[in-house]
Amino acid sequence: MTFPLNLCLGGMCPHHPPVALGLECDLAQHLAGQHLAKALVVKALKAFVRDPAPTKPLVLSLHGWTGTGKSYVSSLLAHYLFQGGLRSPRVHHFSPVIHFPHPSHIERYKKDLKSWVQGNLTACGRSLFLFDEMDKMPPGLMEVLRPFLGSSWVVYGTNYRKAIFIFISNTGGEQINQVALEAWRSRRDREEILLQELEPVISRAVLDNPHHGFSHSGIMEERLLDAVVPFLPLQRHHVRHCVLNELAQLGLEPRDEVVQAVLDSTTFFPEDEQLFSSNGCKTVASRISFFL
């Protein structure tokens, strides 16, 4: 069941707090191997939606290797916050390949993006803006969002403090993987990896990447992010978990030969340890259909 955060009609935005228990349950059941992401997202969202007068929008930046659950978490948030989930008119999904394909048009993109965000927040302050593949965004484009992300009461005549902004990228994935690998080699439990170990290396990776959307924006330097959310690389048992979940979603009983076939067809790295899935769980669904 979806628990809508808003039903914006005629410019009015009645507040219907989501039931966080459902979100937590789904994350616990379906998001494999991401203790930090689960804790950070749930904590940040609970605090935000329970505050009747937040001082700023909720701003999350999700980082990690492909197939580790970033897009899944974003879609789940949309599902629990808005009636219709990602199809809600209050959920705005931007992709650099689709919406900002030509860097030479950056000035037009800036104008259009600012106008789109401002217009939709004027219609309803309770909106979700989702920016995918931040490592492919035209540098400088995100600068137009900076006034919307801070703690000012009103910007451009719009009350925007109840909006949610989510940024997704693979930047920092290699650094996260290295921390996870070193922890494994040191015989540390995966759950012992702390945010304090990952946040600085992710932030440095973003700031050092001239192609990341936060480049030339001041968003990180001004600490406008409420949480940098790391997604750890997935091991074999996590991929197995994804296979079993996918089979359940298809209404199929677990079949050992199918699970094993998917695992055998999955590439793992580094070459010596064969520890982490190269594509996370991204190709699990297509591989299952091949082996059924």
Side-chain angles (χ1 to χ4, degrees):
M1 179 179 293
T2 298
F3 301 91
L5 177 63
N6 65 14
L7 297 170
C8 292
L9 299 171
M12 301 298 290
C13 301
H15 182 199
H16 300 272
V19 177
L21 180 61
L23 174 64
E24 286 187 85
C25 183
D26 262 344
L27 288 174
Q29 225 177 343
H30 302 298
L31 184 64
Q34 304 299 351
H35 67 286
L36 288 172
K38 291 175 188 176
L40 283 168
V41 169
V42 170
K43 180 180 179 181
L45 191 68
K46 275 184 177 179
F48 183 71
V49 298
R50 287 175 178 172
D51 188 345
T55 58
K56 67 181 292 295
L58 177 61
V59 186
L60 304 177
S61 188
L62 314 187
H63 299 263
W65 204 251
T66 184
T68 51
K70 303 183 299 296
S71 295
Y72 173 72
V73 168
S74 301
S75 66
L76 202 59
L77 285 173
H79 169 75
Y80 277 101
L81 292 172
F82 297 90
Q83 192 171 26
L86 291 174
R87 296 185 299 276
S88 167
R90 299 305 165 196
V91 175
H92 311 282
H93 191 182
F94 298 92
S95 164
V97 176
I98 297 173
H99 299 98
F100 316 112
H102 305 294
S104 59
H105 297 170
I106 181 67
E107 294 306 318
R108 192 190 81 198
Y109 294 154
K110 285 182 178 180
K111 181 180 178 181
D112 291 347
L113 180 58
K114 175 184 172 182
S115 177
W116 181 263
V117 172
Q118 183 178 343
N120 280 283
L121 288 180
T122 300
C124 180
R126 292 196 176 278
S127 297
L128 169 62
F129 299 91
L130 176 59
F131 294 85
D132 212 349
E133 296 186 293
M134 282 290 292
D135 39 318
K136 298 179 182 176
M137 286 286 180
L141 176 61
M142 295 295 104
E143 172 64 17
V144 301
L145 295 180
R146 189 157 54 93
F148 295 100
L149 305 181
S151 56
S152 299
W153 182 267
V154 174
V155 62
Y156 305 130
T158 300
N159 186 340
Y160 66 102
R161 296 168 299 129
K162 294 181 180 180
I164 298 175
F165 292 83
I166 299 178
F167 303 97
I168 300 175
S169 77
N170 293 339
T171 300
E174 292 185 9
Q175 289 78 5
I176 295 171
N177 292 354
Q178 188 60 39
V179 170
L181 179 60
E182 290 172 1
W184 181 83
R185 287 173 174 169
S186 301
R187 301 182 183 275
R188 291 173 60 202
D189 286 343
R190 184 186 183 90
E191 286 69 25
E192 293 179 7
I193 297 175
L194 303 175
L195 178 63
Q196 293 91 318
E197 299 174 67
L198 296 172
E199 192 172 28
V201 296
I202 295 171
S203 297
R204 177 49 53 196
V206 171
L207 293 173
D208 287 346
N209 183 357
H211 303 293
H212 193 278
F214 288 157
S215 180
H216 309 299
S217 72
I219 289 173
M220 293 199 73
E221 292 89 340
E222 295 182 24
R223 302 185 183 278
L224 298 179
L225 303 179
D226 293 293
V228 172
V229 183
F231 285 73
L232 299 170
L234 300 183
Q235 295 174 236
R236 185 175 294 269
H237 63 282
H238 300 128
V239 178
R240 178 185 292 275
H241 181 93
C242 293
V243 176
L244 293 174
N245 272 340
E246 185 64 26
L247 288 171
Q249 290 289 323
L250 294 172
L252 300 174
E253 291 294 323
R255 291 168 52 184
D256 290 341
E257 67 275 16
V258 173
V259 174
Q260 193 58 49
V262 173
L263 289 173
D264 289 344
S265 68
T266 300
T267 303
F268 292 87
F269 71 97
E271 186 176 348
D272 292 337
E273 287 92 345
Q274 294 287 294
L275 184 61
F276 302 127
S277 169
S278 297
N279 293 306
C281 286
K282 199 176 189 70
T283 60
V284 161
S286 59
R287 289 174 187 269
I288 285 178
S289 61
F290 182 77
F291 291 115
L292 286 176

